[in-house]
Amino acid sequence: PPMSPPPEPTVRRELFGGAVSCDFPTRWIDVSDFRPVPDNQEVWTDADRDESVIFEILERVEVGPSDADGAAVWFFDDLATINDASVASGLSAVETTRHLTAHELPSINGVFACASLCVGTSQISKGNDGVDKRNAVRVAMANVRLPEFGTDLLVTLNRAITIAKGSSVDAPRAGDGDDEVGAGDLILRVLQSLRIEDWGLFG
């Protein structure tokens, strides 16, 4: 059987001014170095693969997400809808959804109420590209619920699977990573190393 590829090199990164730290693939670079990013987000990207990861600190969403089902699936559809690709429209589809255990989030020390992971695909057009130039994107979204801080933490990995002909995306290696490490596996690796250094970040 083919050998699984060695784990890719990672580096410890500080997020939100050092309030959060985690291990990232070294190939991801900080988007805020070249464009503004909202204060409640950290966005890192590998442009060669059209892959990005977004950490987002949200005020807790009270109505909508179900902890019984795993709230990540609600956030997945919310994001898809913002991207004009709602699950109801057929332009996005949920592949898997499940709860995450304290064992999978060892560095958050069991402080969270509930955590879940949703992996799916969305057909998304970039910027000013028309609807016929929708790219297939694998989306892995993890949600960690921190009700005692009134916070939802979202970690979203977007990875291009196929780039539409004529799309403005210039990603010579798009789709490369999809076989190496599934998007869900990669986001789990990041989450396993995710450490809250300063809980004051959540107010």
Side-chain angles (χ1 to χ4, degrees):
M3 295 277 292
S4 59
E8 61 179 335
T10 60
V11 62
R12 194 85 188 158
R13 298 285 196 203
E14 291 193 343
L15 309 177
F16 301 108
V20 175
S21 70
C22 70
D23 296 336
F24 276 5
T26 50
R27 58 192 173 79
W28 288 351
I29 59 168
D30 187 350
V31 169
S32 70
D33 287 344
F34 46 93
R35 68 173 167 80
V37 169
D39 285 347
N40 70 321
Q41 290 184 2
E42 283 271 350
V43 184
W44 294 67
T45 187
D46 174 352
D48 277 354
R49 297 191 193 191
D50 197 32
E51 180 177 276
S52 64
V53 66
I54 302 164
F55 291 79
E56 214 167 347
I57 296 167
L58 300 173
E59 230 174 279
R60 181 178 165 85
V61 180
E62 297 292 350
V63 178
S66 154
D67 288 338
D69 299 340
V73 73
W74 184 90
F75 285 102
F76 173 89
D77 191 37
D78 187 54
L79 175 71
T81 303
I82 291 167
N83 284 325
D84 274 343
S86 69
V87 171
S89 73
L91 288 167
S92 292
V94 172
E95 290 167 1
T96 58
T97 180
R98 66 180 184 84
H99 289 91
L100 298 174
T101 65
H103 176 69
E104 291 173 296
L105 296 165
S107 303
I108 303 188
N109 316 327
V111 173
F112 60 93
C114 196
S116 51
L117 172 68
C118 177
V119 180
T121 53
S122 283
Q123 306 291 327
I124 299 172
S125 48
K126 198 123 186 185
N128 299 322
D129 285 351
V131 174
D132 60 329
K133 301 203 172 56
R134 286 181 181 267
N135 303 317
V137 178
R138 171 101 51 234
V139 180
M141 180 179 276
N143 165 244
V144 180
R145 314 218 73 190
L146 301 165
E148 62 190 274
F149 298 97
T151 296
D152 273 305
L153 176 65
L154 280 188
V155 184
T156 308
L157 178 71
N158 297 296
R159 171 184 281 171
I161 311 169
T162 54
I163 306 284
K165 211 172 161 153
S167 162
S168 62
V169 171
D170 172 25
R173 298 189 57 190
D176 270 16
D178 217 49
D179 310 326
E180 290 164 35
V181 179
D185 293 338
L186 180 51
I187 206 169
L188 281 173
R189 279 191 199 169
V190 170
L191 288 169
Q192 275 184 326
S193 69
L194 185 72
R195 185 189 296 276
I196 311 293
E197 308 285 357
D198 175 12
W199 288 96
L201 173 68
F202 305 118

